[in-house]
Structure formats: structure tokens, C-alpha cells
Amino acid sequence: MESTTKNLITIEKAKTSKISQVDFNNLAFGSVFSDHMLVCDYKNGAWENPKIVPYGPLSLEPSAKIFHYGQSIFEGMKAYKDENNDVFLFRPTDNHSRLNISASRMSIPEFPKEFFMEGLKTLLELDKDWIPQTPGSAMYIRPFIFASGKGFHASPADEYKFMICLAPSGPYFSGEVKVLIEETYSRSANGGVGYAKAGGNYAGQFYPTQLAKAKGYQQVVWTDDNTHENIEEAGAMNIFVRIGDTLITGPTSDRILDGITRKSVLEIAAAEGIKTEVRTITVSEVVEASKNGSLKEMFGAGTAAVISPIAGFGYRDTDYDLPQLENSYASMLKKRITDIQYNLSEDPFGWRVKI
Ligand code: PLP
Ligand code: COI
């Protein structure tokens, strides 16, 4: 990774480390945080130099626009440590590009790439001991920006904070994943903000997801808001369906997050000789394929969830089980992508970035 702005980042180290309190063999997802965090303020029309400070609470104006108008965006990334204690990121500049796509949509000032990349590198070097090495675990990285500027006027804030927090994490899902195909609620709409990683997109999912959880499903599969006939994505994951031996995922649009795992899976699958299709997936074809036995797999793909096989889906009060395959595409693709991420294999695509 290039190092051009190192001196621009000031570091205030934590007086004591909390690392001895963490059980690295039993990590949940995103619930413990490393000793430091990065903070960068936008004031007077410019991003100031980033600071690394001890992880801890913030002090904000009650009228800060984040609280009232939800001007907030985030990214999700992971850092992986290999057996030589070398640390790697996966396609990090894609996260930076997507952060700025989200920023534009939410009227948040774009964040400079040098600050993003150098901030990640400096923070990860400082808290390197926190990066887990236990199988299935990684350092979940949460870059985010929110409106810290004050005032009740419903207009973009004049001040923002960009921050990065680090959470050593285990798997996102602890057990099997069953999904409910949703027809009443929508996650996003044409012309909306579905393609942005905007905080409010997730808040809006909580209620329908709680209803689905009460019925025994872990995630909602969102369908298009217009007809509810097409499968779009699953909670915090893009969704793949295998019918016969063809792997299908829906096209991205202004309703769907352009997932980095999704596009990586498509490239790996093609390189493995799997027939892939990026096209609209209808609910009726998935139900029909389940009934006639050609629906072999469904899985979600995302940074937090990696590749999560779907055990079954519910649709209009009927449950459909997926077969349990010995040699599933999901397990092969998960191995290929995590081998690249953890530096266990060659990286023919050039995605791995050593820090
Ligand atoms: N879709 C949504 C709504 C998400 O929140 C995520 C997670 O980031 C994804 C898809 C997967 O994106 P990525 O693979 O870039 O993590
Ligand atoms: C990620 O996969 O990084 C995400 O952002 C999902 C998150 C909502 C847990």
C-alpha cells in the first residue's frame, strides 16, 4: 500500500489495552472493539487531517442532523491475518469508491482516497494484535460518515465525521439460514437510495425482519417494490440462485447494493467454468424449480456474511427446503474467496492488498 500522507494522521495512543479481556476463540460478530478508532472532521468546507484516538464515546449536539434526518453512510470491510502475521485487505479501493457513491446520494461530501487508505493502514498497524487468526474470524472494519453539523433545518449539514472502528469478529450467522420471500414491505424503490449504504436502509429493514424472525426465518429476501415478482437481495447480502448447474444473480440497479463479494463470486465462478447469468430472477421460477427439483442452491454473499448457504425459503405460507449438496457451489466459492482473502492461495485477480 502506498504511503503518502502518513504524517498527516496524528495518533493518541490508549493508556491501557483491553485486549486481554477478549476471548478470541469465541468471537461474536461486531460486538467488541479494538483499542483505537480513527476520526476525521469535515468543517468549513474541507476534511481536516485524520486523528487516531482511543476507542470511546463521542460528544454530539442534540440537534446534529444525523439524529433527525439520518444523513449517514457506512462501509463494511475485513482485514485478514495469515500465519506469518501479515495482514491483508480485500479490494479496499472498491469500498472507497462505493463510500463516495453513497456520499453523493446522501448529500455528504466525498471522502479523499488517501485519507481512507492511509487511515485504514495506520489504524490496522496500531491495532494489529487485535486481528484474529482463528478460522472463520477476521477483523471487521466499519468506516462510516455521519452529519455532525447542528440545526433543525431539513437540509444537508455543514459538518460531518468520518470514522473507522475495528471489531474482531466471528461469523455473521451462527446457525442455518432460512429466508422469507417478502411481498408486503420493500427495502428500496426505483429512484431511491437502495444502492447506497445508507444507515436508514437498514433501519427500514428491521421491522419486516423482526416479523420474519418471529416466523422462524433469519433473513428477508427482498423483491422488487413494483411487482414483488422478482428476487432482489437478502438483508445484508446479495443473493445467488443455482438452477440446474447455472448460477444466477440479479442485475444491480438503483434498488440494489453493488456488492463486492457478489462481483467477486461472479468472476471466480466464471474462472471455475461455472455458467453464470446476471438477469432478473423471478419468484415463480424459483418456486417452480424447487418443486421440480432443479433448484439446487441458494446463498447470500456479503463481506460480513461471506457466503452463507440458504437452507430453505418461505413463500406465501409454504416452506421450501433446499437440498444439502456434498459439493455445492457455495462451499467451493467460499473456499476460493476466503483462500484469496487469507493469503492461502494465489490471487489471480489481484484483489488482495497487503498492508
Ligand atoms: N447488500 C446489502 C444490502 C449489504 O448491506 C451488503 C453488505 O455490505 C451486501 C449486499 C454485500 O456487499 P459486500 O459484498 O460489498 O459486502
Ligand atoms: C457487510 O457485509 O459488511 C455489511 O455491511 C453488512 C452489515 C449490515 C452487517
Side-chain angles (χ1 to χ4, degrees):
M1 213 184 245
E2 292 166 7
S3 175
T4 49
T5 54
K6 195 163 192 122
N7 297 335
L8 296 180
I9 301 178
T10 54
I11 301 176
E12 182 199 336
K13 283 198 178 169
K15 291 196 177 64
T16 54
S17 174
K18 301 167 297 188
I19 198 164
S20 62
Q21 299 165 20
V22 178
D23 178 0
F24 280 85
N25 292 315
N26 288 296
L27 287 169
F29 175 81
S31 52
V32 291
F33 305 97
S34 73
D35 286 328
H36 299 93
M37 61 186 188
L38 182 134
V39 186
C40 185
D41 286 310
Y42 180 91
K43 286 183 182 158
N44 303 314
W47 288 103
E48 298 181 344
N49 289 355
K51 295 175 283 221
I52 291 177
V53 294
Y55 178 89
L58 303 172
S59 173
L60 291 169
E61 287 276 342
S63 75
K65 295 202 181 193
I66 171 63
F67 298 134
H68 307 275
Y69 305 121
Q71 241 192 318
S72 92
I73 56 173
F74 69 96
E75 269 304 318
M77 314 171 64
K78 280 178 176 169
Y80 311 87
K81 198 190 261 180
D82 74 4
E83 58 183 21
N84 299 319
N85 283 334
D86 287 327
V87 176
F88 301 90
L89 294 170
F90 185 71
R91 311 187 78 170
T93 54
D94 291 8
N95 291 96
H96 173 261
S97 306
R98 193 172 61 188
L99 180 79
N100 281 343
I101 289 170
S102 302
S104 299
R105 182 62 181 86
M106 303 304 286
S107 288
I108 290 173
E110 290 191 357
F111 191 70
K113 185 173 175 186
E114 272 183 311
F115 282 3
F116 186 86
M117 297 301 289
E118 199 58 37
L120 280 172
K121 177 178 152 81
T122 312
L123 186 62
L124 284 165
E125 277 171 354
L126 190 63
D127 281 349
K128 184 174 177 182
D129 291 348
W130 285 81
I131 304 174
Q133 258 165 329
T134 35
S137 300
M139 179 68 99
Y140 186 73
I141 304 170
R142 176 53 63 84
F144 57 109
I145 308 181
F146 64 91
S148 51
K150 59 188 177 187
F152 292 147
H153 196 278
S155 53
D158 57 357
E159 295 188 359
Y160 296 85
K161 274 186 194 297
F162 168 87
M163 299 184 57
I164 306 176
C165 296
L166 304 177
S169 292
Y172 190 69
F173 293 109
S174 48
E176 86 175 358
V177 182
K178 288 200 165 190
V179 296
L180 179 65
I181 297 181
E182 178 63 60
E183 290 192 287
T184 305
Y185 300 97
S186 297
R187 173 186 173 273
S188 59
N190 288 325
V193 299
Y195 68 94
K197 261 180 105 65
N201 280 341
Y202 297 80
Q205 298 189 61
F206 293 163
Y207 177 63
T209 306
Q210 275 169 350
L211 297 180
K213 281 191 173 155
K215 293 183 185 163
Y217 305 97
Q218 284 70 42
Q219 279 277 347
V220 165
V221 169
W222 298 105
T223 51
D224 69 293
D225 64 299
N226 191 22
T227 66
H228 293 294
E229 285 171 4
N230 306 319
I231 285 180
E232 301 237 297
E233 58 182 327
M237 306 180 290
N238 294 112
I239 192 161
F240 284 81
V241 172
R242 173 181 172 186
I243 297 179
D245 285 334
T246 304
L247 189 61
I248 314 163
T249 192
T252 54
S253 69
D254 55 3
R255 300 183 306 273
I256 298 184
L257 192 82
D258 187 0
I260 294 163
T261 319
R262 171 188 173 279
K263 66 183 181 185
S264 307
V265 163
L266 283 172
E267 283 194 62
I268 295 172
E272 292 292 328
I274 293 172
K275 183 170 175 229
T276 60
E277 287 178 3
V278 176
R279 61 156 175 88
T280 301
I281 309 169
T282 64
V283 179
S284 54
E285 76 174 311
V286 171
V287 169
E288 182 52 35
S290 177
K291 286 182 181 160
N292 71 25
S294 61
L295 181 66
K296 302 231 181 108
E297 295 180 54
M298 286 172 77
F299 59 85
T303 300
V306 197
I307 289 177
S308 294
I310 292 171
F313 67 92
Y315 179 61
R316 295 190 177 169
D317 297 325
T318 304
D319 278 329
Y320 299 83
D321 288 331
L322 274 289
Q324 294 195 333
L325 300 185
E326 282 277 303
N327 297 310
S328 66
Y329 284 175
S331 58
M332 185 277 286
L333 292 164
K334 182 174 180 183
K335 177 153 172 49
R336 291 280 181 282
I337 197 166
T338 52
D339 279 357
I340 293 174
Q341 291 166 333
Y342 286 86
N343 193 29
L344 295 170
S345 71
E346 291 299 306
D347 173 18
F349 307 98
W351 291 333
R352 195 164 55 214
V353 175
K354 188 173 172 189
I355 69 154

